[in-house]
Amino acid sequence: MSTSRPDHEVALDQVLPVLRRHASEVDENASFPSESLTALRTSGLLGSVIPSQHGGWGMSLSQFVETAQLLAGACLTSASIWAMHCQQADALARYGNQGFTDEILPQIAAGQVYLASVTTEPVKGGHALSAHSAALHSDEYLSFDRKAPVVTGGRHADGFLITLRASATAPETQVSLIYADRSQLRIEQSGDWRTLGMRGTDSVSLHLKGKVPDRQVIGGHGGFREVAVESYLPMAHIGWSACWLGAAKGVFAELVQELRRPGRRGGPQLSSDLVRERLARIRLDLELVHSYLQRVVSEVEQCWRAGQSVGEPVQQIHLNSLKLCASELCYRAVDRMIELAGLSLGYSKDSVVPLERCLRDLRSASLNYSNERLLTVTGAMTLMDRSVRLA
Amino acid sequence: MSDPWDAQFEDMLRPVLQHLPPGEPLRPDTDLAQAGLDSMGTVELLLSLEDHYSISLPDEMLQSSTFSTPESVWKAITAVRDQGAEA
């Protein structure tokens, strides 16, 4: 009797060694992980969340989260690029115009189209639900002139999902989401990406000008709020949290293996109560993020299956709390791993365990979709849930 | 025709509708999200309504459908007030 493994598991066998092999040089040279992206394209993983009728794998949210963790355990930069691509692909698949999705989704599933997201804007920072640059309408086309300070993979993407103010007279909170192919855009790079960590995401500043037909509007004119609340933001918070957890878990596994290596000399003594207490504290943080991630994923899956909104205050509090706790606890766990491992095994770039890189990468987690703003919103929403309905 | 709500209701609602021009009348079916009511504005509105009318909207009422139009918000307030009066 033959048992066939799911496509994505077979794909991961091919892709993970490539990501692992290039993770260090991607960070060292601050270079985009092109080899990893090629492996993701050819493996079929770019089509993970594309429905099967369009040639994708129609992955469930749980499978997406497991895959993100495994990829991040090999290379957090590549995993984040993949998770953000899947976030765009999910929005296109759910809210795209059918005539257009029939064309674009099979291309994404075939690995021909890697998607980048253009939601940041100089005047508004990372505030996702507003836009300043307007879509100018004429003859079933809309044109735009848009600056974006941070576009992950912006120089490498084949297609872009771009937020625009719905029209020249629309308020900044009335936002349209459009798809633009690279061939429909004039792109100027206006700034570099030179950062402490996540150095290979090549999240450059771009100035984009273009014109696209109305059929490339996703979720209708001015319809971004619904796309964001029901797809974009849940996918982002869940995807990033899974990536951060996967990275922290990955280095912890390597650290424990190194600590148990026969013949290891120097460093933490495994018989020490202090060492064991530190191990337990790290494990505790990872256990908490893992279980809360599973819980929120199952809540979102339940809402999606029942056709219910995930935009009610209680679901928003849970999704925000996931992003907040994953960004803080995964970073803290890796910081504690360095404390435990000491200067050479923990703090050094030349360590056999890449804790130093992981700490720098995870430092971005609280800044990426700023925790400060998310806490303010979550605090306000908490006042709307007097009975404290916990996840 | 007089408004279905009292004057103070409109005084509390207008400041959280960033996109409703001052001269434009507030209709019972005005789409509050389109008029600029966001999640933070909803919280501000809730707090001022509860304080002014001395009521507590139960959690099950605190969903987007309650805050979709002036009429739906006013209905929620009057329902809770009437319940309080009966009790």
Side-chain angles (χ1 to χ4, degrees), chain A residues 127 171-174 222 225 309 311-313 373 376-389, chain B residues 18-19 33-34 36-40 42-44 46-47 50 55-60 62-65 67:
Chain A
H127 196 291
E172 294 203 343
T173 49
Q174 232 175 65
R225 172 169 284 274
S309 170
E312 298 303 342
R373 194 170 46 227
T376 315
V377 173
T378 307
M381 286 186 172
T382 294
L383 295 171
M384 296 189 69
D385 185 38
R386 207 172 7 218
S387 54
V388 193
R389 285 165 290 176
Chain B
Q18 313 153 46
H19 308 312
Q34 291 287 330
L37 183 67
D38 58 13
S39 54
M40 297 298 265
T42 305
V43 176
E44 300 308 324
L46 171 74
L47 296 179
E50 288 191 332
I55 53 167
S56 279
L57 292 187
D59 280 351
E60 55 271 23
L62 302 184
Q63 28 182 298
S64 36
S65 57
F67 295 92

Side-chain angles (χ1 to χ4, degrees), chain A residues 69-127:
Chain A
Q69 287 182 66
L70 290 168
L71 292 171
C75 172
L76 179 54
T77 291
S78 305
S80 302
I81 286 167
W82 174 81
M84 289 174 74
H85 162 88
C86 290
Q87 174 202 14
Q88 318 302 308
D90 185 70
L92 256 174
R94 281 168 195 270
Y95 289 96
N97 176 309
Q98 200 200 332
F100 178 61
T101 52
D102 285 348
E103 280 172 32
I104 191 75
L105 296 182
Q107 294 177 42
I108 298 171
Q112 293 156 2
V113 179
Y114 157 54
L115 297 166
S117 154
V118 181
T119 52
T120 57
E121 207 165 3
V123 283
K124 67 173 185 89
H127 196 291

Side-chain angles (χ1 to χ4, degrees), chain B residues 28-81:
Chain B
D29 64 347
T30 297
D31 183 326
L32 294 181
Q34 291 287 330
L37 183 67
D38 58 13
S39 54
M40 297 298 265
T42 305
V43 176
E44 300 308 324
L45 177 64
L46 171 74
L47 296 179
S48 51
L49 291 172
E50 288 191 332
D51 190 40
H52 178 78
Y53 295 110
S54 301
I55 53 167
S56 279
L57 292 187
D59 280 351
E60 55 271 23
M61 275 192 178
L62 302 184
Q63 28 182 298
S64 36
S65 57
T66 303
F67 295 92
S68 57
T69 63
E71 185 180 31
S72 63
V73 180
W74 183 247
K75 263 189 185 163
I77 293 169
T78 49
V80 174
R81 262 206 318 202

Side-chain angles (χ1 to χ4, degrees), chain A residues 37-249:
Chain A
L37 180 61
T38 303
L40 289 167
R41 283 181 192 273
T42 51
S43 68
L45 276 162
L46 289 193
S48 293
V49 301
I50 301 288
S52 51
Q53 69 265 30
H54 290 295
W57 292 341
M59 245 184 207
S60 68
L61 195 57
S62 309
Q63 289 171 326
F64 165 69
V65 159
E66 280 165 31
T67 307
Q69 287 182 66
L70 290 168
L71 292 171
C75 172
L76 179 54
T77 291
S78 305
S80 302
I81 286 167
W82 174 81
M84 289 174 74
H85 162 88
C86 290
Q87 174 202 14
Q88 318 302 308
D90 185 70
L92 256 174
R94 281 168 195 270
Y95 289 96
N97 176 309
Q98 200 200 332
F100 178 61
T101 52
D102 285 348
E103 280 172 32
I104 191 75
L105 296 182
Q107 294 177 42
I108 298 171
Q112 293 156 2
V113 179
Y114 157 54
L115 297 166
S117 154
V118 181
T119 52
T120 57
E121 207 165 3
V123 283
K124 67 173 185 89
H127 196 291
L129 294 175
S130 66
H132 181 72
S133 300
L136 306 174
H137 298 260
S138 69
D139 298 336
E140 296 178 7
Y141 276 84
L142 50 87
S143 57
F144 52 89
D145 182 333
R146 170 83 156 78
K147 286 182 177 161
V150 186
V151 184
T152 292
R155 294 192 304 155
H156 312 270
D158 309 292
F160 297 79
L161 263 65
I162 304 170
T163 53
L164 295 168
R165 191 150 54 95
S167 71
T169 53
E172 294 203 343
T173 49
Q174 232 175 65
V175 179
S176 298
L177 181 68
I178 62 139
Y179 171 84
D181 194 81
R182 180 172 280 277
S183 64
Q184 294 171 316
L185 294 167
R186 266 191 299 146
I187 304 177
E188 281 169 35
Q189 186 185 333
S190 50
D192 287 327
W193 176 251
R194 287 152 51 83
T195 51
L196 178 69
M198 298 303 285
R199 286 158 49 80
T201 59
D202 205 12
S203 303
V204 289
S205 308
L206 295 182
H207 185 174
L208 307 144
K209 293 180 192 170
K211 188 176 175 184
V212 298
D214 278 347
R215 65 201 283 266
Q216 290 179 212
V217 175
I218 301 156
H221 294 288
F224 179 60
R225 172 169 284 274
E226 186 184 339
V227 181
V229 168
E230 304 300 340
S231 157
Y232 233 62
L233 293 176
M235 285 292 284
H237 290 339
I238 288 171
W240 280 324
S241 299
C243 286
W244 299 327
L245 177 62
K249 181 184 156 189

